[in-house]
Amino acid sequence: MMEVTMKTLSQMSGYSVSTVSKALRDKKDISVKTRKIIKELAATYDFVPNNSAIALRSQKSNTIAVIVPKIDSMIYGSMLNSIQHIAFEQGYRVVVQQYLNHESGEYGCLKSLRNGGIDGVIVLGSSHSLEDLKNSSEANAFPTIVKKIDDFSLNPVEYKAFGRKMINALFFKIESRDNAMAMKLY
């Protein structure tokens, strides 16, 4: 099956690209009949919206990153489990990076994420450099939660609860930033 783009849907349906875009986003200025026609056509061809284009238009990617020392740790795995579960419920994708306990590896991970495709970041670990990271400009490029893990004696359920706290704190920061940006537009 061919890859279907917004332009292809436009040509197939006879509607403009703008109308197709609005119909797929359920904009009320497009008639119910037209929305139905375009959505059925999109479903027939398994149309998938271009997330990069959506992020460019909305200034929001619905993607967060989680940076951890190691994924295979029960501690970080438990936290990632709850973070990813809640993120998916909120319509977010999760990108995970591990810095493998390399000295200042978390800085390198943050720097690689500055291309604009991330709405926020959670950095977890146990190194002393995390305290410095909280105040660095790297951590201020986007909403960031930096948390040093000191207690390694908790059970997995407690680490999952900790992960839920971190993702909810990040969502609060993202929402605060988005509200502040919206206020600047007025």
Side-chain angles (χ1 to χ4, degrees):
M1 193 179 272
M2 68 177 188
E3 182 181 349
V4 176
T5 64
M6 192 87 64
K7 185 176 180 182
T8 311
L9 284 177
S10 168
Q11 293 167 341
M12 294 163 104
S13 68
Y15 293 102
S16 70
V17 173
S18 175
T19 299
V20 170
S21 174
K22 288 179 177 183
L24 292 172
R25 290 182 287 130
D26 248 350
K27 296 295 181 179
K28 302 302 179 207
D29 58 331
I30 305 300
S31 75
V32 173
K33 178 183 172 192
T34 301
R35 282 186 273 161
K36 184 177 186 234
I37 290 169
I38 292 171
K39 285 181 178 186
E40 286 175 358
L41 184 63
T44 301
Y45 288 95
D46 199 24
F47 172 73
V48 177
N50 181 322
N51 287 326
S52 296
I54 292 168
L56 187 61
R57 183 186 68 248
S58 68
Q59 297 294 302
K60 195 163 172 63
S61 66
N62 278 31
T63 303
I64 62 165
V66 180
I67 301 172
V68 295
K70 296 187 302 183
I71 292 174
D72 62 354
S73 155
M74 180 275 302
I75 293 167
Y76 300 113
S78 295
M79 287 185 223
L80 280 169
N81 181 291
S82 4
I83 289 168
Q84 193 153 16
H85 181 75
I86 292 170
F88 283 170
E89 284 177 352
Q90 297 294 322
Y92 280 78
R93 292 175 305 223
V94 177
V95 173
V96 179
Q97 289 196 349
Q98 55 182 344
Y99 56 92
L100 303 171
N101 289 323
H102 289 138
E103 189 173 327
S104 300
E106 57 274 19
Y107 284 95
C109 289
L110 269 175
K111 189 173 183 178
S112 74
L113 295 169
R114 287 193 313 188
N115 68 357
I118 300 293
D119 290 334
V121 180
I122 297 172
V123 183
L124 301 168
S126 60
S127 76
H128 296 292
S129 63
L130 289 177
E131 292 303 319
D132 296 334
L133 184 63
K134 280 184 185 180
N135 302 319
S136 79
S137 61
E138 296 290 335
N140 293 319
F142 27 64
T144 305
I145 301 291
V146 179
K147 187 65 179 165
K148 183 177 178 207
I149 310 300
D150 292 318
D151 189 352
F152 294 98
S153 65
L154 303 175
N155 66 47
V157 172
E158 292 170 303
Y159 287 116
K160 284 183 178 186
F162 187 77
R164 284 192 296 275
K165 260 173 100 174
M166 294 300 98
I167 188 68
N168 288 327
L170 181 63
F171 284 149
F172 179 78
K173 278 190 164 189
I174 290 170
E175 187 176 315
S176 296
R177 182 219 39 210
D178 292 348
N179 289 340
M181 287 171 60
M183 295 301 289
K184 286 182 182 178
L185 296 175
Y186 291 109

